[in-house]
Amino acid sequence: MEIFGVDIGGSGIKGAPVDLERGDLAEERYKVLTPHPATPDAVADGVKEVVDHFGAEPSCLGITFPGVVTGGATVRTAANVDKSWVDVDARALLSAKLDGLPVTILNDADAAGVAEMQFGAGRDRKGTVLLLTFGTGIGSALFSDGVLVPNTELGHLELHGHDAEKRASTKAREDEDLSWEHWAKRVTKYLAHVEMLFSPELFIIGGGISRKADKFVPLIEGIKAEIVPAQLQNNAGIVGAAMSASRGLTG
Ligand code: BGC
């Protein structure tokens, strides 16, 4: 019984069968570019292409979405994909596209957090842990004694009159051609604000940028919480999606 995870991102849709014992990909992941505009139907075609690539019939599929998802099914916000996603029953849409395959869908940062708490940087960590993904936007996953509080959306906190992710995401660094030092200052201000609100014991820095953590984490100063890069790096979403799908199946 193979369980697949698929991660829908602002730039790519990537997926693979997942080994849930090891918390890792069972095969090399496959990626297609996110269509533009990223409408529900076009994205669902991309997900199907990723699943079909493996030529196997998965038993179920977990999918991450870069917005609020309630009830394992319904999209509520779409900051970085086409607005026509809002209020779509993504579980029904994607399951229909995949010939009735059982599908679980959840927020991308929440999925990454679930995987990191089980297999990565958050393993055995109690208290308040916050995973923040820095990519096209900023995603957040809040855990209290290992239990997820879903859909926290801390990337949209207001910072100096701006939506925080517009200032401190990886996209902002690239679009404005910021030096690591300059960007690290913005990330520091953001973390200080989040710390003031939640006093976490641990920040886990996720998203593609976690591969380059050595370039900016040492530049972050004055934060009381421990700050560590995610260990599953960019595969955390795929693994966490598959974990959530398997939990859905076993009830
Ligand atoms: C969305 C979040 C998402 C994050 C990372 C934000 O713009 O609102 O739901 O987790 O981007 O993709």
Side-chain angles (χ1 to χ4, degrees), residues 61-77:
L61 176 65
I63 302 177
T64 78
F65 184 81
V68 170
V69 182
T70 53
T74 309
V75 170
R76 297 295 182 195
T77 68

Side-chain angles (χ1 to χ4, degrees), residues 5 19 32 35 40 43 48-49 57 60 63 68 105 138 165-167 173 176 183 196 210 214 217 228-229 238 241:
D19 180 336
V32 299
V43 170
K48 181 170 165 49
E49 194 182 331
E57 180 91 345
C60 66
I63 302 177
V68 170
I105 176 152
I138 296 178
E165 75 172 21
K166 295 273 182 294
R167 304 269 304 159
R173 185 179 73 82
E176 297 180 50
W183 186 63
M196 184 267 288
S210 54
D214 58 324
V217 172
V228 297
I238 298 175

Side-chain angles (χ1 to χ4, degrees), residues 3-8 47 59-65 69-75 89-96 98 100-108 110-111 114 148 237-251:
I3 299 189
F4 279 44
V6 174
D7 195 4
I8 299 174
V47 172
S59 55
C60 66
L61 176 65
I63 302 177
T64 78
F65 184 81
V69 182
T70 53
T74 309
V75 170
D89 182 339
R91 178 167 59 196
L93 170 79
L94 286 151
S95 182
L98 293 157
L101 188 71
V103 166
T104 297
I105 176 152
L106 74 163
N107 173 261
D108 54 0
D110 284 347
V114 163
L148 173 70
I238 298 175
V239 173
M243 287 170 65
S244 305
S246 84
R247 286 174 189 173
L249 261 193
T250 54

Side-chain angles (χ1 to χ4, degrees), residues 4-9 11-18 25-34 43-56 61-62 64 234-235 237-239:
F4 279 44
V6 174
D7 195 4
I8 299 174
S11 60
I13 301 172
K14 40 199 192 279
V18 172
L25 308 189
E27 282 181 54
E28 199 177 322
R29 70 183 195 187
Y30 182 71
K31 174 175 169 176
V32 299
L33 292 180
T34 304
V43 170
D45 283 337
V47 172
K48 181 170 165 49
E49 194 182 331
V50 169
V51 173
D52 286 351
H53 165 81
F54 293 93
L61 176 65
T64 78
N234 232 1
N235 290 333
I238 298 175
V239 173

Side-chain angles (χ1 to χ4, degrees), residues 65-67 77-81 83 153 156 163 165-166:
F65 184 81
T77 68
N80 294 307
V81 284
K83 299 288 173 268
E153 292 292 311
H156 297 294
D163 193 18
E165 75 172 21
K166 295 273 182 294

Side-chain angles (χ1 to χ4, degrees), residues 132-135 137-138 154 157 159-160 164-173 178-195 203-206 209 213 215-223 227:
L132 297 169
T133 62
F134 292 83
I138 296 178
L154 301 183
L157 285 173
L159 204 57
H160 304 303
E165 75 172 21
K166 295 273 182 294
R167 304 269 304 159
S169 62
T170 302
K171 185 171 185 299
R173 185 179 73 82
L178 303 177
S179 65
W180 286 107
E181 287 74 15
H182 192 158
W183 186 63
K185 281 208 176 80
R186 290 190 183 182
V187 173
T188 303
K189 281 191 184 137
Y190 174 64
L191 293 181
H193 191 62
V194 174
E195 178 159 72
F203 280 117
I204 303 175
I205 307 294
I209 201 75
K215 295 221 188 299
F216 69 97
V217 172
L219 304 173
I220 296 172
E221 286 173 348
I223 305 294
I227 305 173

